[in-house]
Amino acid sequence: MNKDIKIAYIFSFRFSYPFLESFLIQIAQKHSLHFSTSHDKEKGYFILSIQAKEQEIRKFSDSLAVEFPLSLFFCFQDVNLLSSETLIQAQTQTYPSFPLENQRITPQDSIKIIENSYNLKKFPYGGSVFLEGIRLIEDNQEAKPAVVSESFRALVQKLKNGEEIYMQTLYGAKIITLDSAQREWIMPCDSASLELLFRVNNAQSAALLSFEKPIVFLSPKTILEEEMLKNKDNISPKTALSNIIAFNEQVIMPYDYSLHLLAYYLREYDIDFCYLYTAQTLQSQESPINLFSNGFLAPSILKTEPATVVVSDNSTTLIASNEPSLLDYPHYLSLLIQESGLSDSSACLHASYHLPTMVGIFNETQLKKILHVSFPLQLSSWVQEIINDKVGAKLVQNYIKEFSHIENILLTHKTKKAENIISSSSNIFDVLGIIYQLLYDYQEDIEAGKVFMLKYAEDFLGSKGPRIDYKLYPKDGGVALDHLRILRSCMSFRLAGVDKETLAFGVIDSMAEFYGNLMRDVCDNFILKNIVISGSMLSFNPFFNRLLHFLPPNIPHTFPIHLPLDCIKGVQ
């Protein structure tokens, strides 16, 4: 019996996204359904309530499955059958146009472009292709069939011949090339090309293909790695983010009609990807045709920017492109807790690339530090401290037999001590630089050593590394990290012949486990019900994944949503 039913489609949203709400309503209106909309701002829900025959509901659901785009920040959550008494006040809303959003690719658009590309007489939202300065598609006249497909084929041929082309896109004016020398972004042509070229998990692939078309940093596979590295500058870390992704590539999928068409014809010529970089700013009266004789001109250059996201294996998504907050950590934490709507005291963890490590308890405006981290930044000081212990001295003797450079490190310690040059760090990730110096190159600086260790950890192909010893001891009403045990563990595994990728991942894996256990203990001991986590190291995918794995599953954990991952000043 095809009776009337009332049903609520529930979507969760992290950001206000009126276009996707409008898109849902447009589909409901297309099916001539009786519907209403509402927001549950406390839970972050957008609710579309519908009253219709069961058969109509099925057709509507099928349409959503095909037409509604996968979104990072506006996602289907649930569907609830409503009681017959529920009042659904019919709505007939009209929404403003969204010219930028309409240029993004939905699943239905993608199918239409592929199916109709040969018959397109003009570009969907205006625009012209030009070759050798001659305009092929005019906005104000009816073009011949296949002129769009043939003109984009001609652009691809220019690329094959080693030329660059100019394109105005949803993310601004870009130069497209097959030469990696000037690349900013790499654009695989489709999901098959993405998986062929990069180490990408299902969650990252889904994010790249989502409606928002963000940037995700990925490691190239062997098929691309040599080309990716040949144009790399020498490592010179500048910011937390650039350090973490120094060896990765900014990957983005075709994000508007013009690039989708271009990618389609690139694949027709067996080309799997291309490179994009930002075109130089032109004078107001200057035409890009004067500088680039081949390309695509839209009616105007569009100004929107893509988000750079980090995506965990379980699809937890964070925005990593926002600049660090100008506040110090306590004020930043206060805003983060306020944003998350937390009222109780919370355990907090700040895992930053460049700021001091912070594990503590935040109660209203009071921040109590729980974990004390402090160690010298001179490798020679570490080695000398290890020698002062009987077991450590034996370890150093065995290490010298295999790696004689450690004697040079001890000589350096005497020189530094005589000159009274001693500096220290309170950031646990600086240990990575010390480890690299001792195990692989004692003449390298700390910053570059950190980057190399992160690169090795990211190149690890397994799922679990060796257990590195992160031990705590009581100090000043809290606990302190025994940093020497970390280095001793690494020395032992190096002597045992563990390769650098496995060992580096073990350092990161064990660190994540250490944090997970510590946060559980803090919550248990102080009866806390929330964990608030921030810091630029969350943008390093191996650490982010393993941290999520080890955090106590019974305690909610909160990450920055509207705020950036990091701030500019820590706790003194």
Side-chain angles (χ1 to χ4, degrees):
M1 184 176 178
N2 195 19
K3 62 180 181 179
D4 262 12
I5 59 174
K6 297 178 180 180
I7 197 166
Y9 293 85
I10 302 172
F11 293 79
S12 63
F13 62 91
R14 291 176 62 183
F15 301 94
S16 177
Y17 222 143
F19 174 78
L20 290 179
E21 296 175 13
S22 172
F23 193 79
L24 278 171
I25 290 169
Q26 289 173 31
I27 300 175
Q29 289 174 334
K30 185 174 70 175
H31 286 260
S32 302
L33 297 178
H34 181 95
F35 70 89
S36 67
T37 62
S38 61
H39 288 86
D40 185 336
K41 293 185 178 180
E42 184 176 338
K43 294 182 178 179
Y45 288 162
F46 172 79
I47 303 168
L48 176 67
S49 300
I50 289 176
Q51 178 178 347
K53 301 293 185 184
E54 185 174 343
Q55 189 68 19
E56 293 173 329
I57 294 290
R58 290 182 182 277
K59 289 180 179 179
F60 175 72
S61 296
D62 290 342
S63 291
L64 285 186
V66 173
E67 298 180 48
F68 193 76
L70 173 70
S71 169
L72 286 176
F73 307 121
F74 190 95
C75 308
F76 174 73
Q77 184 76 21
D78 203 357
V79 59
N80 287 343
L81 188 64
L82 303 176
S83 69
S84 57
E85 291 79 21
T86 303
L87 177 63
I88 298 180
Q89 186 69 43
Q91 295 176 222
T92 55
Q93 293 130 306
T94 57
Y95 281 81
S97 63
F98 300 91
L100 294 182
E101 304 298 353
N102 283 327
Q103 295 172 28
R104 297 183 190 268
I105 302 297
T106 67
Q108 198 72 4
D109 294 331
S110 177
I111 294 170
K112 289 178 181 177
I113 287 175
I114 293 172
E115 289 180 346
N116 300 324
S117 60
Y118 291 100
N119 299 318
L120 284 175
K121 293 183 178 182
K122 61 181 181 179
F123 197 73
Y125 59 85
S128 304
V129 172
F130 57 94
L131 292 170
E132 305 300 338
I134 299 174
R135 197 176 298 269
L136 299 185
I137 304 176
E138 295 288 354
D139 292 334
N140 58 358
Q141 70 181 45
E142 185 74 7
K144 297 178 182 179
V147 67
V148 172
S149 60
E150 292 305 320
S151 61
F152 271 81
R153 269 205 190 93
L155 290 180
V156 170
Q157 190 62 52
K158 293 292 183 182
L159 289 172
K160 282 193 68 177
N161 293 341
E163 299 181 52
E164 297 180 337
I165 62 175
Y166 174 95
M167 296 190 73
Q168 290 177 345
T169 77
L170 179 64
Y171 294 153
K174 300 295 176 184
I175 307 301
I176 317 295
T177 178
L178 299 183
D179 181 2
S180 66
Q182 298 190 71
R183 71 186 182 277
E184 290 178 15
W185 305 342
I186 300 177
M187 188 184 82
C189 292
D190 53 25
S191 56
S193 301
L194 172 67
E195 293 177 6
L196 172 70
L197 301 170
F198 294 97
R199 293 173 54 192
V200 57
N201 61 36
N202 291 337
Q204 290 169 325
S205 178
L208 282 164
L209 294 167
S210 69
F211 181 75
E212 289 83 2
K213 293 300 186 293
I215 292 170
V216 176
F217 284 96
L218 297 177
S219 295
K221 289 183 177 178
T222 306
I223 192 172
L224 267 184
E225 191 163 19
E226 184 176 336
E227 182 178 358
M228 297 297 96
L229 293 176
K230 70 183 180 183
N231 289 308
K232 285 285 184 185
D233 296 327
N234 292 330
I235 296 172
S236 178
K238 295 179 181 179
T239 66
L241 189 61
S242 67
N243 274 301
I244 293 169
I245 48 79
F247 289 91
N248 284 350
E249 297 298 325
Q250 298 185 72
V251 180
I252 195 166
M253 297 301 289
Y255 52 82
D256 65 10
Y257 274 95
S258 58
L259 289 174
H260 198 81
L261 274 174
L262 184 73
Y264 179 66
Y265 290 109
L266 283 169
R267 287 299 301 123
E268 194 174 79
Y269 283 85
D270 294 323
I271 299 172
D272 292 309
F273 67 100
C274 60
Y275 301 106
L276 285 71
Y277 68 92
T278 301
Q280 68 184 73
T281 303
L282 304 175
Q283 299 298 322
S284 58
Q285 301 300 318
E286 188 175 10
S287 169
I289 299 177
N290 295 334
L291 296 176
F292 305 94
S293 58
N294 307 297
F296 170 79
L297 281 182
S300 62
I301 295 179
L302 306 172
K303 302 291 187 180
T304 186
E305 292 291 332
T308 300
V309 301
V310 55
V311 187
S312 73
D313 290 343
N314 71 356
S315 298
T316 301
T317 303
L318 303 177
I319 295 179
S321 50
N322 293 337
E323 291 295 320
S325 167
L326 297 178
L327 301 172
D328 60 19
Y329 176 66
H331 289 90
Y332 166 82
L333 179 61
S334 179
L335 284 180
L336 177 53
I337 288 177
Q338 182 180 347
E339 169 192 273
S340 305
L342 302 178
S343 56
D344 299 326
S345 299
S346 300
C348 52
L349 162 62
H350 195 68
S352 173
Y353 184 91
H354 62 291
L355 294 181
T357 298
M358 180 66 200
V359 173
I361 300 170
F362 191 80
N363 183 1
E364 296 179 354
T365 58
Q366 297 287 321
L367 177 62
K368 179 182 180 181
K369 191 173 182 178
I370 297 295
L371 176 65
H372 300 274
V373 177
S374 181
F375 50 81
L377 281 174
Q378 283 72 33
L379 173 60
S380 56
S381 297
W382 287 61
V383 175
Q384 190 61 53
E385 284 188 66
I386 292 174
I387 289 176
N388 291 338
D389 176 79
K390 184 176 180 180
V391 176
K394 181 65 174 176
L395 176 62
V396 171
Q397 288 178 6
N398 292 335
Y399 203 81
I400 289 175
K401 292 177 184 178
E402 293 291 330
F403 311 104
S404 58
H405 67 268
I406 201 169
E407 294 177 324
N408 295 327
I409 295 172
L410 292 172
L411 289 174
T412 302
H413 174 71
K414 293 179 180 179
T415 303
K416 297 284 186 182
K417 189 174 181 181
E419 297 174 358
N420 197 29
I421 304 175
I422 299 294
S423 58
S424 63
S425 172
S426 54
N427 183 349
I428 194 173
F429 289 99
D430 284 341
V431 171
L432 295 170
I434 299 292
I435 294 170
Y436 181 83
Q437 287 179 327
L438 180 60
L439 270 54
Y440 307 114
D441 185 355
Y442 75 95
Q443 294 181 317
E444 189 58 88
D445 62 57
I446 293 283
E447 290 298 307
K450 288 171 68 175
V451 173
F452 280 118
M453 289 295 287
L454 293 172
K455 164 62 176 170
Y456 297 153
E458 193 156 48
D459 285 346
F460 179 66
L461 297 177
S463 59
K464 190 175 180 65
R467 293 298 87 188
I468 305 301
D469 203 359
Y470 287 80
K471 293 294 183 183
L472 297 172
Y473 61 89
K475 182 179 179 179
D476 299 337
V479 290
L481 180 68
D482 186 347
H483 57 275
L484 292 179
R485 285 180 175 267
I486 301 172
L487 193 59
R488 283 167 54 172
S489 292
C490 293
M491 292 171 69
S492 297
F493 283 114
R494 175 80 163 122
L495 282 171
V498 174
D499 64 88
K500 58 183 181 292
E501 290 82 9
T502 303
L503 183 53
F505 185 81
V507 174
I508 295 298
D509 188 20
S510 301
M511 186 186 297
E513 183 177 20
F514 159 75
Y515 277 133
N517 292 338
L518 181 58
M519 299 310 288
R520 181 201 62 221
D521 292 343
V522 169
C523 288
D524 288 348
N525 293 335
F526 293 91
I527 318 177
L528 303 176
K529 298 179 181 179
N530 305 293
I531 300 174
V532 180
I533 307 168
S534 53
S536 55
M537 282 305 302
L538 298 178
S539 64
F540 180 59
N541 214 268
F543 175 73
F544 186 40
N545 274 325
R546 299 310 291 164
L547 181 64
L548 288 172
H549 176 77
F550 289 115
L551 285 172
N554 59 321
I555 303 175
H557 32 273
T558 299
F559 299 100
I561 297 177
H562 298 91
L563 290 173
L565 292 181
D566 216 338
C567 50
I568 63 167
K569 186 178 179 183
V571 178
Q572 301 300 318

